[in-house]
Amino acid sequence: MDGIVLPKSLSDFFEQALTPEFWNRAIGTALAAALILLLFRILQILVIKALRRTMPEPRAVLIRKAIRYTGYVIAAATVLRAAGVDLSALLGAAGIAGIAIGFAAQTSVSNLISGLFLISEKPFQIGDVIQTGDITGTVMSIDLLSIKIQTFDNRFVRIPNETIIKTNVTNITRFPIRRLDITLNVSYRSDLEKVKALLEQIAVRNPFALENPAPLIMIQNFGESGISILFGVWFEQSRLLDLRNSMLVDIHKRFAEEGIEIPYPQMDVHIKNQNEG
Amino acid sequence: MWEYFEPEEQRWYRWKLDGATAWLRKNGEEWRLAVSPVSFKQIKPGASGPEPAKAPEHLPISFAVGPGRKVALRPRLGDMPYLVSARNDVRILPGAEAWFTIALPPLVRFEIEGGQILFESSPFTTGLTWFGDKTAGSLCLSLPLELDPECHNENEGRSGDDSLAGSSRYLSCRSLVQCRMVVRNLSKEAIDLKRMAIYTDLINLYLKDDMVVSDTVVVVGTADGSLQTSIDDKAYRGLPKVRSAPHPGLSEVLVRRGVSFLKAIAGL
């Protein structure tokens, strides 16, 4: 039976292809498809130009792709309708196939929806430094299925969007200034007023420490081996390493010069002689 | 000191910049340059140059290559705003205005004729500070200055005033940019001046008797409680410029000055 239908259809096709009406319709359909693609291209350019300054890059990319693929789908539907294909049957088949694919691709769909949430919520942008779990690095891209991170030791890490949505993410570079907290221990013999004045002086002299907001100096508690002091210094977020290194060197040097002891954990052991009892 | 001159070949020249020093040596198209910076707080009046000198010792030398006959050391203001963290409080009552003269530490650059830059450096080191809240704001250079107000006819006979001694040290430095500021209080509340940010992007610099002077910065405290800053370039118009500020378009000004400018032109 197939052997009869195919040659018949092909012969019909070739018969129709020789008529001027077929060519008129074919050229009209091609022009319509081209016009649709052109219109969507113009729409894409206009929308992106209008939103470029106000919208973050990932969302702009998403909108651009959505416009482009919508144009492709409408152009394809126009061509198929002109070719006499019944689209309702095709859409029904696509729906069934969609359900089947949906079951098979649960994880991908979950990531896709999480990606949409990430793009709309904007907890971080491309270029931000984020920490999630034990991974810290710079965000390279935010895609529909995953985000890509470049760690500081130059590793490439792909994190599925679903994981990002479920876990705590710390955006380290969200705000322009940060505070470096250094917890110090000084011995019980230290003059706390002198220690406080010395820390203020160290902060003032450090070129990476900001004068405003002023450094935080807080005596926290009386610990086992010394008095614990929190020394918080504000800095511009890109100068973390410079500040940390210079500040620890300065504290060590100035404390040594001023005779302020940084105690290490120690324990007094009393040995009781049994013969004495 | 800031004008173009023609250096002899293979000879070092030095500029004394109130405690900092800059060096230059020309050898055909090769230029050797160095700057020895000083802390802004340790500045000492005494500026001169260019004068022949020995080669700088223990300093990193920078190289630049380019054809040029004449060269000049030119000042320019930093890209970061300057924040005057005043050591003395000043209160301006509603309807009053006060004038201040402050000295801003410039960056210096060696320029050959045509304005091409061979080298740029900061001869005065200053601390950093933050202006604004912790989620937004500007990183600024901190100037630990005294603010001595001048009012109508009330600045006469104060040359012997001890309170001026601290600021006069800065005001007599020829390598600093002398900047006039006027603060007008048009609000109904008294303004306590403790910190003032000076945005430098629209300020012109001029040469006046070998001193570098700038346009006047006008700060107006408005009735809605906000502060508006603008630049008045009338005071030194006609003097030779050592740095021209860009003339911004309206959109640029809107972006730079933000909502307060929008409020000002809309009369809100």
Side-chain angles (χ1 to χ4, degrees):
Chain A
M1 192 175 172
D2 288 347
I4 298 166
V5 171
L6 191 62
K8 191 171 184 293
S9 305
L10 280 174
S11 63
D12 286 350
F13 176 79
F14 283 119
E15 274 175 22
Q16 282 180 8
L18 295 173
T19 61
E21 291 80 20
F22 174 83
W23 285 107
N24 282 342
R25 212 168 58 187
I27 291 169
T29 309
L31 281 174
L35 194 66
I36 289 167
L37 290 176
L38 184 69
L39 281 175
F40 273 87
R41 178 74 184 150
I42 293 168
L43 181 69
Q44 185 185 325
I45 291 169
L46 289 177
V47 169
I48 292 305
K49 268 194 173 177
L51 299 178
R52 187 186 291 160
R53 289 192 179 188
T54 55
M55 188 166 283
E57 182 66 17
R59 200 184 285 183
V61 170
L62 188 72
I63 289 174
R64 196 168 64 216
K65 282 183 180 172
I67 294 172
R68 189 198 302 165
Y69 291 128
T70 307
Y72 288 163
V73 168
I74 292 176
T78 307
V79 171
L80 289 173
R81 268 181 73 97
V85 177
D86 185 4
L87 285 179
S88 57
L90 197 68
L91 288 174
I96 294 166
I99 293 168
I101 292 168
F103 273 114
Q106 266 184 344
T107 312
S108 300
V109 171
S110 168
N111 280 324
L112 191 76
I113 293 167
S114 302
L116 292 174
F117 279 122
L118 269 185
I119 288 168
S120 63
E121 194 187 10
K122 290 187 288 181
F124 46 78
Q125 307 278 334
I126 292 171
D128 281 351
V129 177
I130 64 166
Q131 182 179 26
T132 172
D134 57 352
I135 296 165
T136 305
T138 309
V139 178
M140 294 172 70
S141 71
I142 305 167
D143 299 325
L144 282 177
L145 293 180
S146 63
I147 67 162
K148 276 87 177 180
I149 286 179
Q150 183 184 20
T151 63
F152 293 120
D153 54 353
N154 216 22
R155 287 178 296 159
F156 175 87
V157 182
R158 175 188 178 277
I159 306 175
N161 287 337
E162 193 185 359
T163 311
I164 292 287
I165 288 286
K166 283 179 181 171
T167 54
N168 293 337
V169 177
T170 307
N171 188 340
I172 295 170
T173 52
R174 178 62 171 266
F175 300 127
I177 53 174
R178 286 175 58 196
R179 198 178 73 195
L180 172 70
D181 286 348
I182 301 169
T183 305
L184 298 161
N185 274 315
V186 295
S187 81
Y188 280 99
R189 289 187 291 274
S190 304
D191 177 353
L192 289 181
E193 289 298 326
K194 186 179 171 187
V195 172
K196 194 164 171 282
L198 197 60
L199 289 175
E200 282 169 352
Q201 199 183 71
I202 289 169
V204 166
R205 288 185 184 176
N206 191 297
F208 307 109
L210 298 180
E211 291 177 13
N212 181 65
L216 170 75
I217 300 172
M218 188 168 71
I219 296 167
Q220 283 188 308
N221 57 52
F222 296 105
E224 287 180 8
S225 53
I227 302 168
S228 178
I229 298 172
L230 176 68
F231 182 37
V233 188
W234 289 89
F235 64 99
E236 202 257 324
Q237 42 126 316
S238 63
R239 311 310 296 259
L240 172 65
L241 286 182
D242 294 325
L243 180 80
R244 183 187 281 274
N245 287 336
S246 59
M247 193 54 84
L248 291 179
V249 169
D250 288 349
I251 290 171
H252 185 259
K253 195 173 161 187
R254 291 305 309 279
F255 275 28
E257 282 172 4
E258 299 293 330
I260 293 169
E261 187 187 345
I262 301 177
Y264 47 87
Q266 46 191 290
M267 187 183 289
D268 291 336
V269 179
H270 299 276
I271 301 171
K272 192 174 179 184
N273 192 340
Q274 284 186 337
N275 294 336
E276 285 177 6
Chain B
M1 196 168 108
W2 305 106
E3 302 289 357
Y4 281 94
F5 84 108
E6 192 172 340
E8 283 180 29
E9 294 286 322
Q10 298 182 18
R11 183 162 200 180
W12 281 99
Y13 289 87
R14 181 182 64 185
W15 285 258
K16 288 183 180 171
L17 303 171
D18 302 308
T21 317
W23 280 271
L24 170 139
R25 178 182 184 268
K26 179 180 186 289
N27 182 15
E29 291 192 0
E30 181 210 85
W31 303 84
R32 296 184 183 210
L33 313 136
V35 168
S36 165
V38 66
S39 165
F40 185 63
K41 288 178 184 172
Q42 293 166 356
I43 208 161
K44 288 176 193 165
S48 61
E51 56 200 17
K54 288 181 183 173
E57 290 178 357
H58 314 300
L59 268 184
I61 305 287
S62 297
F63 293 85
V65 180
R69 200 167 54 85
K70 288 186 173 181
V71 67
L73 185 72
R74 293 286 198 167
R76 84 169 183 91
L77 292 172
D79 296 328
M80 259 190 259
Y82 293 79
L83 192 81
V84 183
S85 310
R87 281 186 285 141
N88 44 358
D89 295 340
V90 177
R91 168 165 281 205
I92 301 172
L93 298 180
E97 74 174 31
W99 288 78
F100 304 92
T101 305
I102 56 171
L104 306 175
L107 302 178
V108 292
R109 47 168 59 161
F110 289 100
E111 286 180 9
I112 49 177
E113 283 172 301
Q116 286 171 308
I117 301 155
L118 296 171
F119 175 67
E120 183 172 277
S121 181
S122 173
F124 307 105
T125 54
T126 54
L128 293 176
T129 187
W130 191 254
F131 184 63
D133 62 30
K134 289 171 189 169
T135 56
S138 304
L139 185 65
C140 301
L141 298 168
S142 175
L143 305 184
L145 297 176
E146 288 187 4
L147 280 180
D148 296 308
E150 297 166 18
C151 309
H152 300 290
N153 304 318
E154 290 172 25
N155 55 345
E156 293 170 3
R158 290 182 62 192
S159 55
D161 193 336
D162 287 343
S163 69
L164 287 177
S167 55
S168 66
R169 181 164 64 100
Y170 293 103
L171 299 181
S172 58
C173 290
R174 285 195 297 144
S175 57
L176 301 183
V177 177
Q178 308 298 325
C179 175
R180 295 272 285 164
M181 294 185 74
V182 55
V183 182
R184 296 192 183 109
N185 187 359
L186 301 183
S187 71
K188 292 177 181 173
E189 303 287 331
I191 294 177
D192 289 315
L193 287 184
K194 195 66 188 161
R195 310 169 77 230
M196 278 194 293
I198 302 166
Y199 291 84
T200 60
D201 46 356
L202 299 178
I203 297 180
N204 294 293
L205 299 185
Y206 310 84
L207 270 183
K208 187 191 175 199
D209 305 329
D210 221 14
M211 294 286 277
V212 185
V213 292
S214 76
D215 288 330
T216 306
V217 178
V218 182
V219 182
V220 179
T222 59
D224 65 356
S226 65
L227 287 175
Q228 290 173 1
T229 305
S230 59
I231 303 300
D232 180 5
D233 63 355
K234 291 188 198 81
Y236 300 114
R237 202 176 277 170
L239 288 177
K241 274 186 191 176
V242 282
R243 190 245 181 189
S244 293
H247 293 287
L250 182 62
S251 60
E252 198 176 353
V253 170
L254 286 176
V255 172
R256 286 184 191 199
R257 293 287 174 247
V259 179
S260 63
F261 184 85
L262 192 63
K263 276 183 180 175
I265 59 170
L268 297 172

